[in-house]
Amino acid sequence: MSDEEGTNRIYRAIADTTRRRIIDELALRDRQSLFEICARMISKHGIYLSRQAFSRHLSVLEDVGIIEVEWQGTTKLHSLNKAPLAGLANGWLSRFEEQ
Amino acid sequence: MSDEEGTNRIYRAIADTTRRRIIDELALRDRQSLFEICARMISKHGIYLSRQAFSRHLSVLEDVGIIEVEWQGTTKLHSLNKAPLAGLANGWLSRFEEQ
DNA sequence: TGTTTATGCAACAACCATGTTGCATAACAT
DNA sequence: ATGTTATGCAACATGGTTGTTGCATAAACA
């Protein structure tokens, strides 16, 4: 995959409110399970989706490297990897920053 | 449209290499027509698409306010509005900046 | 061993995105 | 008037996204 195509995929991954809220949650606390994330999305953000829908969102973030996972028994723990986001923030878009 | 949904749309608009190259072109020179942009995309960037395909990309950028237009006879001149991009660069994503 | 807990996979529907082609419109030049 | 130039609109195919539901798997626990 070309570098540009990777950039496209990361932009697409964060072009969704639910996924940005998931990232916000993981920025507050690492190593959260799918169920924990579901619960917080519903209770803190009022995002009512099925477990599978959240699972899909998590896998989109995992595919582009924003989320890293670790298994503990049957529980998949999700953590944030800020590198791809830092890449965007310091990359092409940074030329449009103000102040 | 909610603010969040507006943010989503701007992210999606720049999640495409062709559209980022169009923005780059307009950053170099304002007030370019569709034909000028087509020619530069093909000659400078090797992006071989039809006129209508480029027209679609331009309208995506126009819809989210990244491009502003001005008519001169039958010619539609496109210029860059950096505000939406500055909004992203200074917004949610900026927390992931490094250095 | 059997039940609960946590997750994954597959099928499906609905919608959106991106490219194509063909035709229409509207200004400008000869 | 006619032809050229510049653009828009509509139809269509294709493929991707995002949600649903149902079933499968696999570890943990009483």
Side-chain angles (χ1 to χ4, degrees):
Chain A
M1 167 175 59
S2 80
D3 204 40
E4 290 288 5
E5 187 51 35
T7 300
N8 293 348
R9 293 179 67 221
I10 300 169
Y11 273 124
R12 269 197 307 262
I14 64 171
D16 181 285
T17 306
T18 300
R19 289 197 287 263
R20 286 197 304 281
R21 292 300 80 79
I22 289 173
I23 291 169
D24 290 342
E25 259 324 301
L26 292 176
L28 291 176
R29 194 155 68 75
D30 260 347
R31 295 169 53 91
Q32 294 194 57
S33 72
L34 169 57
F35 267 36
E36 285 178 277
I37 292 164
C38 286
R40 281 172 211 279
M41 286 299 114
I42 292 170
S43 64
K44 291 179 60 177
H45 302 281
I47 300 174
Y48 292 91
L49 291 175
S50 66
R51 173 183 66 86
Q52 286 82 350
F54 286 118
S55 175
R56 278 275 204 148
H57 283 299
L58 288 170
S59 78
V60 169
L61 293 170
E62 191 184 340
D63 285 349
V64 299
I66 292 175
I67 280 182
E68 285 175 342
V69 301
E70 179 190 347
W71 281 92
Q72 192 171 290
T74 48
T75 306
K76 190 182 191 178
L77 298 174
H78 303 77
S79 296
L80 192 59
N81 174 21
K82 297 180 179 177
L85 299 169
L88 288 196
N90 290 303
W92 179 85
L93 192 59
S94 68
R95 85 186 63 177
F96 300 102
E97 272 178 306
E98 284 168 347
Q99 293 142 45
Chain B
M1 169 174 61
S2 80
D3 204 42
E4 289 288 7
E5 188 50 36
T7 300
N8 293 348
R9 293 179 68 220
I10 300 168
Y11 272 124
R12 255 176 304 177
I14 62 170
D16 181 286
T17 307
T18 300
R19 290 196 288 265
R20 287 198 303 281
R21 292 300 81 79
I22 290 172
I23 291 169
D24 291 342
E25 260 324 302
L26 292 176
L28 291 176
R29 195 155 65 78
D30 261 349
R31 298 167 53 89
Q32 295 194 56
S33 72
L34 170 57
F35 267 35
E36 286 179 275
I37 293 164
C38 286
R40 281 172 210 279
M41 286 300 114
I42 292 170
S43 65
K44 289 179 60 176
H45 301 283
I47 300 175
Y48 292 92
L49 291 176
S50 65
R51 174 184 64 85
Q52 285 83 349
F54 286 118
S55 175
R56 278 277 204 146
H57 283 300
L58 287 170
S59 79
V60 169
L61 293 170
E62 189 183 342
D63 286 348
V64 299
I66 292 175
I67 280 183
E68 285 175 342
V69 301
E70 181 190 347
W71 282 92
Q72 195 171 288
T74 47
T75 307
K76 188 182 191 178
L77 299 174
H78 303 77
S79 297
L80 191 59
N81 174 21
K82 297 180 179 177
L85 298 169
L88 288 197
N90 289 302
W92 180 85
L93 192 59
S94 68
R95 85 187 63 177
F96 299 103
E97 273 176 307
E98 283 168 347
Q99 292 145 43

